Amino acid sequence: MLLKHMHPDQLREAADRGDPLLVPAGCLETHGPHMAIGHDTIIVEEICDRIAEHLRVVIAPPFDYGNTGYALGGPRDGTVDPDYNSFGLFVKSILRNFIEMGFQRIFVPIVHQGMDGPLALTFKRAAVELSFEMVLDDGHPRGWWGDEVLSKSAPRFGGIKVLPMVLPAASPPAGGDHAGYNETSFLLATRPELVDQSKLDDNAPWYCRQDPEKNSWTASAEHGRIMVDAVVKAWVEMLG
Ligand SMILES: [Zn+2]
């Protein structure tokens, strides 16, 4: 169920039951002439929707404006890069509220720039800082480290997991790239109306043509469906 659709009593029930909260995170970044600039958020949202077909989960509104470092273009190409510190503070404050809502298992699936990119590191840093700070917020004295406090604070300490959308169990067949064979196929399988391969021509950027056989031109909904199924299965097995 979508968090923003819930009534307060439904929110309480879900949190008390221990339902996982999925927090899609991505960015606006140019993805070649043929793909929606929001791909890296859209595909995570599509995967979350499909996980919800198998398991009881709550899906938070997405973080659409993650950092890009302008690695592949600027605003005129569709790429947005917020101030790092401001975005970090925003992320941390919302994650704190998710914990305060009572969610004990919070997952942030990320596809953009991998797990060592600024987007993933922003969420990881916020998660780690909250783990430690909220133990003190709970009134535990300095020198609190130990099994007793950690077990009591378990829902808060380490309760936020920042993970690759493509979990290791799903790869292969699923893989990553930038707007190439894999990402174009992911979008063709989930939101085909947001892809137009006829816009690919000789001017298409390097990342569209990284492999002579597997590239933006040869991407297909069929390959996308195989990857989506593997990714969803890995998440359902991990959460279930
Ligand atoms: Zn991408």
Side-chain angles (χ1 to χ4, degrees):
M1 190 169 190
L2 295 180
L3 179 62
K4 64 184 175 187
H5 290 181
M6 296 175 96
H7 304 175
D9 64 309
Q10 294 171 314
L11 171 58
R12 288 267 46 81
E13 267 175 40
D16 292 348
R17 204 165 40 219
D19 291 358
L21 176 70
L22 305 180
V23 183
C27 62
L28 288 181
E29 182 177 54
T30 190
H31 270 72
H34 65 301
M35 280 177 66
I37 57 177
H39 169 271
D40 289 358
T41 324
I42 294 166
I43 187 58
V44 177
E45 292 183 87
E46 292 293 324
I47 293 296
C48 289
D49 287 347
R50 285 161 176 76
I51 294 169
E53 291 170 8
H54 299 271
L55 285 178
R56 194 150 31 194
V57 295
V58 179
I59 303 170
F63 285 87
D64 276 302
Y65 298 106
N67 287 106
T68 63
Y70 296 131
L72 295 159
R76 288 183 64 84
D77 310 301
T79 301
V80 162
D81 191 38
D83 175 77
Y84 284 74
N85 290 330
S86 305
F87 182 64
L89 292 172
F90 173 63
V91 164
K92 186 175 172 183
S93 60
I94 303 298
L95 290 181
R96 177 187 289 272
N97 287 161
F98 290 158
I99 294 172
E100 290 169 340
M101 282 177 174
F103 287 106
Q104 298 173 29
R105 302 168 71 207
I106 299 173
F107 296 87
V108 186
I110 285 180
V111 75
H112 171 65
Q113 290 181 339
M115 298 314 292
D116 294 321
L119 178 67
L121 292 180
T122 294
F123 278 85
K124 282 193 206 177
R125 177 176 178 161
V128 169
E129 288 181 357
L130 288 169
S131 285
F132 283 87
E133 289 170 13
M134 292 183 83
V135 173
L136 296 174
D137 291 349
D138 286 344
H140 296 290
R142 293 180 179 185
W144 52 267
W145 184 270
D147 287 344
E148 197 190 331
V149 169
L150 285 175
S151 60
K152 265 193 224 151
S153 302
R156 297 181 170 208
F157 199 94
I160 300 173
K161 305 267 188 268
V162 185
L163 297 171
M165 183 195 82
V166 178
L167 292 170
S171 177
D177 55 30
H178 181 76
Y181 183 64
N182 289 321
E183 286 197 344
T184 304
S185 296
F186 264 129
L187 203 54
L188 280 169
T190 53
R191 298 292 298 273
E193 75 280 14
L194 302 181
V195 187
D196 184 352
Q197 285 165 296
S198 73
K199 290 184 177 173
L200 291 162
D201 60 21
D202 290 346
N203 297 317
W206 61 268
Y207 48 77
C208 293
R209 56 179 93 249
Q210 277 186 289
D211 185 285
E213 284 169 20
K214 294 184 172 179
N215 50 49
S216 304
W217 285 262
T218 61
S220 69
E222 187 189 355
H223 175 54
R225 277 191 288 274
I226 291 167
M227 293 196 297
V228 167
D229 288 349
V231 169
V232 172
K233 183 166 178 274
W235 275 88
V236 169
E237 283 175 1
M238 193 260 298
L239 294 172

